[in-house]
Structures are given as structure tokens and as C-alpha cells.
Amino acid sequence: MGKTVEVKDEAGLAAALKNAPGPIVIDFVSKSCDACEADEPDLKKLAKSCADVTVVKIDVDAASVLADKWGVQGTPSLFIAQSAAEARPGAAKEVDWASDAAKLLKKCMR
């Protein structure tokens, strides 16, 4: 089973990435985002179903410095990295949940 980690700052993100065994989904959210709420069950399913996947949730209101660093313009904003080394601005791929993250879920459920 993978895991979900809530991060509030750069140090928390570094710790989450250090312990990530495989692919990482970085989910920038806000409390006022209805689409973020709609994606939540699928992201939980992804973390639960995929042994090596780490889902990192970052509230843009609590971690605005991280959101700015990653170039987040709105929520939800999802990024996927294949490893901790790729989980950085400019290297991680910004994705559309309906296509890319869903493919990752299907791949790990085989």
C-alpha cells in the first residue's frame, strides 16, 4: 500500500520525497476547491492500491511559498514524478487527473 502525506512547507516536502519508494503524485489543493474534493477519493484509491506510490498533498493557502515555487496558478494542480529525484519544479510533469494519474492507477492495479 502506498501512502498519502500532507505537507505544509519545504522541509515537509523534502522529508516526504526522501521516504518515497517510487512514483510521486504532488497534489496542490485549497479548501475552497470543489474539484479538489472531487479528486480526493481517486487519489486515496491510488495511494491505497499502488504499493510504491506516494501522494503528497499541499494546501496552497498554508504553503504559498511552495505553490509559487512550483508555478501553481490554480487548484487542483497535479504533478507526477517517477522518483524523488524528478520531484522538483521543472522536472515533474504537470498532469490532468483524468488522463495521466488515471493511467498510473490502472498500471499499478494490474
Side-chain angles (χ1 to χ4, degrees):
M1 177 161 52
K3 63 181 177 178
T4 299
V5 180
E6 292 192 25
V7 169
K8 295 183 180 180
D9 56 27
E10 191 82 35
L13 179 59
L17 296 178
K18 180 180 177 183
N19 297 317
I24 301 153
V25 177
I26 301 172
D27 181 24
F28 286 92
V29 299
S30 68
K31 292 176 182 151
S32 62
C33 172
D34 292 335
C36 299
E37 293 292 322
D39 289 347
E40 182 71 19
D42 290 328
L43 287 167
K44 283 183 179 180
K45 183 177 180 181
L46 177 67
K48 184 177 180 182
S49 301
C50 302
D52 61 343
V53 170
T54 300
V55 176
V56 178
K57 293 186 60 126
I58 302 172
D59 183 326
V60 298
D61 299 317
S64 60
V65 171
L66 276 176
D68 289 344
K69 184 175 181 178
W70 281 75
V72 172
Q73 298 294 313
T75 56
S77 287
L78 293 166
F79 295 83
I80 292 181
Q82 293 304 313
S83 67
E86 291 180 17
R88 63 184 191 282
K93 178 182 176 190
E94 187 165 11
V95 298
D96 173 59
W97 170 252
S99 59
D100 296 303
K103 288 177 192 172
L104 180 60
L105 178 59
K106 288 177 187 175
K107 179 180 175 183
C108 75
M109 292 182 73
R110 289 185 202 161

